[in-house]
Amino acid sequence: MHRRQVLAALAGGLALEGLQLALGAGLGSVGLGACGGSTSGQLVDVTTRVSSTVALGEPWTTPRGFSVVLRRLRVAIASLRLLEEDEAAPLAARLGLIREAQAHPGHVEDAGVMAEQLSLGVIDFAAGDWQASGGHGIEGPVSAGYLAFDDQALDGVVIELEGEVATSTEPLLFHARVRGEELMSDHGAPEIWGCPVDGASVEDDARLALIVDPRLWLADLRFEMLPMMAEGVELSGHDGSRLSLLAALRAPNAWRFTLDAP
């Protein structure tokens, strides 16, 4: 049996440990009629980084004029993928693709997956950026990024943030714990489709980065509507803060990808 195998996640977006993307050399053009273009079929290695637009402890000003500082930020991620075309993947990504290298050529390309990093786990930005090797890809063009959350790692919570907002008297403390079920896509899994990618194609030893953007997550929050509480206030749906946060988290541009050659 070949060592390289593809075990794509089953329906529901479950993260399977030990997954490796294996794309056999010599794959031809994309098989789906909806997908244009072709790839060279060359298997390549990918390194991955996850970073944030804001550092913990450093203030920034929201579009509404609030000075915000994050004290805690954790995100549970199951997988990151780069897709040749965003709309090519949903059906095939829900199937259990099991393929040996060079067997049934075109299956992975049909799924639209050009690169992926699996089993990231909980990323705690108190420790700085998350970095790892071990990702795999196939040379060729990309147009969109995909992010699947790991709703098992933190008992259903996939995003956890705490911070404070400057007021005229004392800082307003806030916190939020977002569950995977609140970020379900139309395909029934906690995931984000159609994330923008700065980079046109996967090349040998490519460097993939996901940039999470809390500035966008909190941009539209009306912090003046939150009650002042000594233990901090949960961003809930009672004052609209929760709805604003969830809408921002579901926006693809709040999760940007970059793709660079070494």
Side-chain angles (χ1 to χ4, degrees):
M1 174 176 292
H2 297 276
R3 289 182 299 172
R4 296 170 178 164
Q5 297 180 325
V6 170
L7 297 176
L10 298 176
L14 295 177
L16 304 179
E17 294 185 0
L19 293 181
Q20 290 189 345
L21 175 66
L23 304 171
L27 297 181
S29 298
V30 177
L32 288 181
C35 302
S38 62
T39 70
S40 69
Q42 178 65 45
L43 183 70
V44 299
D45 294 323
V46 175
T47 59
T48 307
R49 184 180 78 256
V50 182
S51 62
S52 170
T53 58
V54 296
L56 299 188
E58 295 185 2
W60 82 92
T61 302
T62 74
R64 292 185 176 274
F66 297 100
S67 178
V68 178
V69 177
L70 281 187
R71 299 301 184 189
R72 182 179 180 86
L73 175 60
R74 298 203 298 173
V75 183
I77 299 177
S79 63
L80 302 176
R81 290 183 171 90
L82 294 180
L83 309 176
E84 184 175 22
E85 294 192 17
D86 186 37
E87 295 305 317
L91 179 60
R94 291 294 172 263
L95 301 177
L97 292 176
I98 301 178
R99 182 173 67 84
E100 294 185 15
Q102 299 181 354
H104 308 295
H107 284 186
V108 176
E109 290 182 283
D110 285 351
V113 178
M114 302 303 296
E116 69 178 5
Q117 180 81 46
L118 302 171
S119 301
L120 283 75
V122 178
I123 297 173
D124 189 340
F125 287 95
D129 294 353
W130 182 94
Q131 299 185 66
S133 57
H136 298 277
I138 186 170
E139 287 186 344
V142 298
S143 66
Y146 165 90
L147 162 69
F149 296 102
D150 182 355
D151 58 358
Q152 304 298 311
L154 295 172
D155 296 325
V157 174
V158 296
I159 299 171
E160 189 177 53
L161 68 155
E162 299 176 3
E164 59 187 56
V165 182
T167 70
S168 58
T169 55
E170 58 182 301
L172 168 66
L173 305 179
F174 67 89
H175 56 271
R177 291 166 59 86
V178 179
R179 300 184 63 81
E181 61 202 42
E182 297 179 279
L183 298 177
M184 289 291 185
S185 73
D186 293 339
H187 308 293
E191 59 191 5
I192 307 292
W193 290 90
C195 303
V197 180
D198 182 8
S201 64
V202 177
E203 300 178 12
D204 192 20
D205 294 325
R207 295 179 298 194
L208 167 66
L210 170 68
I211 304 171
V212 304
D213 198 347
R215 292 175 182 267
L216 290 179
W217 302 356
L218 303 177
D220 201 41
L221 261 67
R222 299 179 63 93
F223 287 103
E224 77 275 14
M225 304 296 291
L226 299 177
M228 184 69 73
M229 301 175 66
E231 69 276 15
V233 59
E234 171 76 20
L235 298 181
S236 66
H238 301 297
D239 50 24
S241 61
R242 187 73 166 196
L243 296 178
S244 176
L245 175 62
L246 292 178
L249 289 173
R250 295 188 187 109
N253 65 345
W255 310 88
R256 295 185 292 108
F257 286 76
T258 64
L259 179 63
D260 298 316

